[in-house]
Amino acid sequence: MNLNWKFWVPTCVHVGRKVVTRKSGIFQGLGRRVFIVTGRRSSKENGSLDDLMDALQEQGLRFIIFDEVEENPSFTTVERAAQICREFGADLVVGLGGGSPMDAAKAVAILTLNPQLSAEDLYDSSNYTTALPVVAIPTTAGTGSEVTQYSVLTNHEGQKGGFSSVLAFPKHAMLDPRYTLKMSRDLTLSTSVDALSHAFEGLLANTSTPLSDTLARDAIDKIKSALPKVLESPDDIQLRFELLLASTEAGMVIAQTGTTLVHAMGYPLTTFKGLKHGMANAILMVPVFEHVAKTEPERVRKALASFKDVEELHRFFDEVGVHDVHLSVSEKEAREWVQRVTKSRHIRKTPGFFTEADLVRIYLSLETTR
Ligand code: NAP
Ligand code: FE
């Protein structure tokens, strides 16, 4: 057991139905002019944007809405949003939506107070010491971004990568499972398996800690039980609540441990093959576990938590539909992606020993595992 560790999540988490309107005083305590960062459509359809506007109006706060955040937000988008945020004179940023708007909000909060910086500069946290406060309101149950210091952006070459800064931790997270009721089957699945991979990876990582392990095991149990049921009963608020809570727990896990090779290998599958972030992680989970198990079977047994073995996890992914994804990867593509993966910090956090040839083989195996 790791005897030298800390557990730190500075985000205050508020949970419950209508929490955004019930706790509207939180916004008032943080600023007078609010910059809302959200996606193009979903927050207008699931009631979350109306709730947020009601809450801000009730507190007499001025706000503007930036509703142009795309999936896997780009450098260009966050730089443009920061410019608008600065011109508005905002003193609070609210990220409303899935991981993409929440991550964009974190970048905007830093860039707004540091006009000399480009999005690229965010990746060296010694470049900045100030940020606007962020409130995060998730409408998917997957990334846990509402309680992490990470923001994953896509650079001008189309490559995804996360930056990390304590300034990016949201001050408050507001969790209302009602917003997640409108998620499609595919989105429910891909976001749930993202949270699941955060929990597995946190248990597997060389950086795992006893307390994050406890949260990770609980998140895995919740998702294992609730996901198959929610795919049958999407309107069940109690199941939605379980998944949302599990996602936040798993976010708290990776806030301590970081993610592993699974995430690093998944990014090119999203950028270049259009796979949803969570699905990319999920299809990599089994082959990465199998490889680590060759040299460190105990680590994998621990990381599987309530799954008996890798076969049971494989069957679970089969049942919920992870392996229905269609993917083809050429050797040339795999070799290019591996060059970047081997340079990522994720690889040091992953137990076992991976050569470049191992990573190429794993990418190529994805064609046959579906
Ligand atoms: P997302 O990219 O934020 O959104 C995906 C899609 O879901 C969008 O079309 C969005 O529509 C829609 N959507 C959002 N909420 C919805 C709802 N309640 N009902 C119906 N549709 C809804 O999805 P995500 O999986 O939550 O986030 C993925 C991003 O987070 C990736 O960039 C990933 O790398 C990142 N991530 C970050 C962390 C972290 O710690 N910061 C961890 C893991 C992943 P609109 O565009 O119309 O809103
Ligand atoms: Fe993730």
Side-chain angles (χ1 to χ4, degrees):
M1 187 197 278
N2 179 1
L3 293 176
N4 297 303
W5 54 278
K6 70 172 182 187
F7 185 95
W8 193 52
V9 179
T11 307
C12 185
V13 182
H14 309 265
V15 185
R17 290 168 72 105
K18 308 205 170 157
V19 66
V20 173
T21 43
R22 278 196 294 106
K23 298 277 182 104
S24 61
I26 285 166
F27 301 105
Q28 221 266 341
L30 290 171
R32 311 295 312 161
R33 296 170 78 85
V34 182
F35 190 67
I36 301 173
V37 178
T38 191
R40 292 201 178 90
R41 279 209 355 249
S42 66
S43 62
K44 297 173 187 110
E45 293 169 357
N46 61 35
S48 59
L49 185 58
D50 281 341
D51 283 357
L52 177 58
M53 291 194 297
D54 286 349
L56 299 178
Q57 269 152 5
E58 191 187 314
Q59 296 294 329
L61 304 180
R62 291 191 59 189
F63 60 86
I64 56 171
I65 302 167
F66 180 85
D67 62 358
E68 295 168 39
V69 181
E70 71 278 46
E71 287 186 50
N72 312 299
S74 67
F75 280 11
T76 313
T77 297
V78 297
E79 285 170 358
R80 195 173 67 247
Q83 169 92 27
I84 300 168
C85 183
R86 205 177 299 125
E87 282 163 10
F88 175 61
D91 45 19
L92 169 63
V93 180
V94 178
L96 173 68
S100 297
M102 290 191 285
D103 284 2
K106 295 171 181 181
V108 168
I110 298 167
L111 291 175
T112 299
L113 291 194
N114 297 276
Q116 76 286 5
L117 299 185
S118 67
E120 181 83 53
D121 299 323
L122 294 169
Y123 289 74
D124 179 353
S125 60
S126 68
N127 282 329
Y128 46 92
T129 54
T130 53
L132 291 176
V134 174
V135 173
I137 306 173
T139 65
T140 61
T143 69
S145 178
E146 65 277 8
V147 290
T148 73
Q149 67 278 51
Y150 311 124
S151 165
V152 185
L153 304 175
T154 301
N155 72 15
H156 297 305
E157 282 77 53
Q159 279 152 343
K160 281 184 71 150
F163 75 85
S164 171
S165 162
V166 293
L167 293 169
F169 267 120
K171 292 269 180 287
H172 295 268
M174 296 175 145
L175 274 54
D176 185 338
R178 289 181 307 138
Y179 305 145
T180 66
L181 286 167
K182 295 256 190 277
M183 285 198 288
S184 66
R185 190 184 197 284
D186 281 357
L187 190 60
T188 301
L189 174 59
S190 64
T191 49
S192 298
V193 291
D194 185 24
L196 193 58
S197 77
H198 296 162
F200 281 136
E201 290 176 66
L203 284 162
L204 183 73
N206 294 327
T207 44
S208 70
T209 72
L211 190 47
S212 58
D213 286 355
T214 304
L215 281 172
R217 286 193 202 97
D218 192 66
I220 290 168
D221 284 347
K222 283 189 166 69
I223 297 167
K224 188 181 176 189
S225 155
L227 176 58
K229 294 183 205 150
V230 93
L231 295 176
E232 300 300 319
S233 315
D235 297 332
D236 188 322
I237 190 87
Q238 191 55 39
L239 294 173
R240 292 288 186 185
F241 180 62
E242 293 278 300
L243 290 176
L244 185 56
L245 209 51
S247 158
T248 302
E249 286 177 330
M252 290 180 178
V253 171
I254 57 167
Q256 318 309 312
T257 64
T259 52
T260 67
L261 202 53
V262 171
H263 265 66
M265 290 185 78
Y267 289 153
L269 297 178
T270 299
T271 306
F272 301 112
K273 297 288 166 177
L275 241 60
K276 292 267 187 206
H277 169 69
M279 294 301 263
N281 297 334
I283 62 170
L284 284 158
M285 205 71 240
V286 166
V288 168
F289 271 170
E290 282 173 343
H291 187 81
V292 176
K294 287 180 194 162
T295 49
E296 308 222 30
E298 280 311 313
R299 296 294 293 270
V300 173
R301 244 191 300 281
K302 173 201 165 201
L304 281 164
S306 56
F307 286 87
K308 192 161 75 10
D309 49 28
V310 179
E311 284 70 41
E312 192 193 349
L313 177 62
H314 195 277
R315 274 198 304 279
F316 177 81
F317 281 152
D318 255 347
E319 278 163 29
V320 294
V322 162
H323 296 138
D324 298 343
V325 51
H326 174 74
L327 181 71
S328 75
V329 179
S330 73
E331 188 154 345
K332 181 170 175 287
E333 288 171 321
R335 289 197 182 286
E336 278 168 17
W337 301 342
V338 164
Q339 290 314 308
R340 201 171 150 87
V341 170
T342 49
K343 290 189 194 76
S344 70
R345 61 194 144 71
H346 304 74
I347 202 158
R348 291 196 302 277
K349 295 186 175 160
T350 314
F353 183 71
F354 290 81
T355 64
E356 287 191 13
D358 293 329
L359 299 174
V360 169
R361 186 185 47 72
I362 289 175
Y363 271 132
L364 295 178
S365 78
L366 298 178
E367 286 216 343
T368 52
T369 53
R370 57 168 203 267

